[in-house]
Amino acid sequence: MARSPDAPRGRAMSRRAAVAGLIVALGVLGAAALLLTYGDGRAPHGTATSGTAAIGGPFALTAADGSTVTDQDFLGRPFLIFFGFASCPDVCPTTLATVGTALEALPEDERIAALFVTLDPERDTPETAQHYAEAFHPDITGLGGTQAQIDAATSVYRVYAARVPLEDSAMGYTIDHSAFVYLMGADGTYRQHFSPVSAASEITQAVRAELES
């Protein structure tokens, strides 16, 4: 029996759909693994929870001007924080563009701090991190520091990061990492997170809800 000329195309589309579904499933599993237990904050999309989130805590990083930036600098107002690196080819620019769009949708009096923390202090100086971050929105602050400072920050935020050699690339290596944007409350505690596929409107709405709470 002759096959329909659309059959190979249909099988290819089915394979792509299966791969996309697997990626989404892995993202959900990753989120579940990171979000161990919650407090009276909110889980993603405002779902009520109980317990205390084991995400967030003290950090001391370096700004482009050489000053030390700590978690204490943001007490009294919510903030967003994302970990990535300037040479990241896909998820980092996409996510930072989403954060920039979310901030742009907020009136100036509702803008909150948004932090980009590099996972690649070997290549990203604090100045590099700042230039990279502000390319997506002037209100996103880039932060760097020593490897020890970065490791301490990733530890309290439960960020996965692993250096992966690239033998056939001029880059030499890349960094495999989790890619959640965290919304932290005015008291510095975890409120909710956003995945790389979250819409900018979700972040905007969550920030507004947090400011009103």
Side-chain angles (χ1 to χ4, degrees):
M1 178 184 297
R3 294 184 180 179
S4 165
D6 290 333
R9 185 186 308 168
R11 288 196 297 273
M13 291 179 65
S14 296
R15 285 195 295 270
R16 286 196 293 269
V19 171
L22 177 60
I23 291 172
V24 172
L26 289 174
V28 171
L29 289 173
L34 285 173
L35 306 178
L36 306 177
T37 53
Y38 296 86
D40 20 354
R42 289 183 295 269
H45 312 301
T47 305
T49 60
S50 61
T52 302
I55 294 175
F59 63 80
L61 298 164
T62 305
D65 63 2
S67 62
T68 299
V69 176
T70 76
D71 56 297
Q72 298 297 303
D73 295 324
F74 304 99
L75 292 181
R77 194 165 176 81
F79 66 94
L80 297 165
I81 184 168
F82 172 72
F83 293 77
F85 62 109
S87 302
C88 179
D90 39 43
V91 69
C92 296
T94 300
T95 302
L96 286 172
T98 298
V99 171
T101 300
L103 292 175
E104 195 61 31
L106 292 165
E108 286 195 15
D109 61 344
E110 292 183 1
R111 298 270 174 85
I112 64 172
L115 310 179
F116 165 72
V117 181
T118 182
L119 295 170
D120 190 11
E122 181 176 326
R123 290 185 294 209
D124 296 346
T125 64
E127 293 87 350
T128 300
Q130 177 61 37
H131 289 319
Y132 182 72
E134 66 186 7
F136 297 94
H137 196 280
D139 289 340
I140 303 178
T141 299
L143 299 173
T146 65
Q147 187 65 61
Q149 288 175 312
I150 301 300
D151 290 345
T154 58
S155 177
V156 297
Y157 277 89
R158 305 299 188 266
V159 174
Y160 166 77
R163 181 165 166 158
V164 179
L166 296 175
E167 295 180 359
D168 298 325
S169 170
M171 286 181 61
Y173 67 90
T174 187
I175 297 176
D176 186 21
H177 64 97
S178 54
F180 296 111
V181 176
Y182 298 108
L183 173 60
M184 310 302 288
D187 59 354
T189 60
Y190 168 88
R191 289 297 187 265
Q192 68 185 88
H193 75 281
F194 308 93
S195 77
V197 297
S198 296
S201 58
E202 291 182 53
I203 301 177
T204 300
Q205 291 169 9
V207 168
R208 283 179 170 153
E210 187 60 33
L211 289 171
E212 293 171 359
S213 65

